[in-house]
Amino acid sequence: MEVRPNPTADNSSAMQQQRQRHTPTSSQKKPPASSIPVDTTSVSQRLQKELMSLMMSGEDLGVSAFPEGESIFTWVGTIEGGKGTMYEGFSYKLSLHFPLDYPFKPPQVKFETMCFHPNVDQFGNICLDILQDKWSSAYDCRTILLSIQSLLGEPNPESPLNSYAAALWSNKEGDEVPILPNLNCTNL
C-alpha cells in the first residue's frame, strides 16, 4: 500500500505555521482601543455648529467664544459679569480646550483673566459641577459660558477653590465683597 501525502493536511499545517508567524506575541500586542471611537470629523462639525449658534445669540447674553488660531478644538471665550451682580461691568477672558472625544467628555475651561471668586482658584481653574461629574453630552459651549456667568453672581461657598474669597462671601453684608477690579478683570 502506498502512502501519499494529504495535500489538505499539509496546507492546514502550513497555514497554522503562517498564522503563528503573523500572530502578535504578548510583547507585540497593540494597546487596547478606547471604548468610544474617536471621530474628529463629527466633533469638528459639532463644534462648528456650536460656534454658529453662539455667534447668532451669545453676544446678546453677554457671552462669546471663537476658535483660537487654526484649531477648532481650542477656543477663547469672553463672559461679562451678570447684571445686578458685583461683577456687572466687567469682562473676563476664558480658555476652552475641547477633547477629541467631546461631547462625551467636557472641555477644560479656565479663567485667563484673574478672577477673585470662591469657585475660581489663583490659576483660573473653575469648580463647576457641569464641567466635572455632572457633565452631559447635551451641554454645549453656550451652556458652559452661561453657567460660568451665573456662577459669578451665585457662587457655591460650600465647594470653594478660593477659601479666602469663600470666607468673605459667607460673611458679606450686602454687596461689600471686594472684587479687586484692578487685578481681576477688564472694566467695560
Side-chain angles (χ1 to χ4, degrees):
M1 178 170 158
E2 183 179 332
V3 177
R4 292 186 188 170
N6 183 345
T8 312
D10 285 345
N11 282 346
S12 65
S13 66
M15 299 222 1
Q16 284 177 349
Q17 288 174 352
Q18 229 178 5
R19 280 190 201 130
Q20 287 175 348
R21 276 186 259 145
H22 294 292
T23 303
T25 62
S26 61
S27 64
Q28 297 173 331
K29 285 186 181 175
K30 295 179 183 177
S34 85
S35 58
I36 300 172
V38 176
D39 179 7
T40 58
T41 303
S42 65
V43 175
S44 295
Q45 288 173 345
R46 172 157 172 162
L47 287 171
Q48 287 171 355
K49 285 180 186 175
E50 288 186 24
L51 176 61
M52 292 304 294
S53 173
L54 192 58
M55 288 172 59
M56 300 301 272
S57 66
E59 289 193 32
D60 297 338
L61 302 169
V63 299
S64 65
F66 298 96
E68 182 178 47
E70 298 295 315
S71 175
I72 190 77
F73 293 94
T74 303
W75 292 21
V76 174
T78 305
I79 59 170
E80 296 173 11
K83 294 187 184 332
T85 71
M86 67 182 68
Y87 296 94
E88 183 176 0
F90 295 99
S91 178
Y92 294 88
K93 182 178 173 183
L94 300 143
S95 62
L96 298 95
H97 298 280
F98 295 91
L100 294 177
D101 51 357
Y102 179 80
F104 302 107
K105 296 278 171 75
Q108 179 184 19
V109 184
K110 291 177 74 169
F111 275 91
E112 295 300 322
T113 308
M114 180 77 85
C115 180
F116 185 76
H117 189 275
N119 304 112
V120 180
D121 71 12
Q122 64 188 4
F123 305 108
N125 297 310
I126 304 166
C127 182
L128 182 61
D129 58 357
I130 69 161
L131 294 176
Q132 295 155 11
D133 59 328
K134 301 289 186 199
W135 174 254
S136 166
S137 60
Y139 295 141
D140 61 6
C141 184
R142 182 175 167 268
T143 304
I144 294 165
L145 294 172
L146 290 172
S147 296
I148 294 170
Q149 184 184 51
S150 177
L151 181 69
L152 286 178
E154 298 174 24
N156 179 3
E158 301 301 316
S159 180
L161 283 180
N162 181 335
S163 56
Y164 179 66
L168 285 175
W169 194 277
S170 296
N171 296 329
K172 77 173 186 166
E173 293 190 20
D175 287 337
E176 296 177 14
V177 176
I179 58 170
L180 307 174
N182 59 338
L183 296 176
N184 286 23
C185 42
T186 305
N187 206 345
L188 295 174

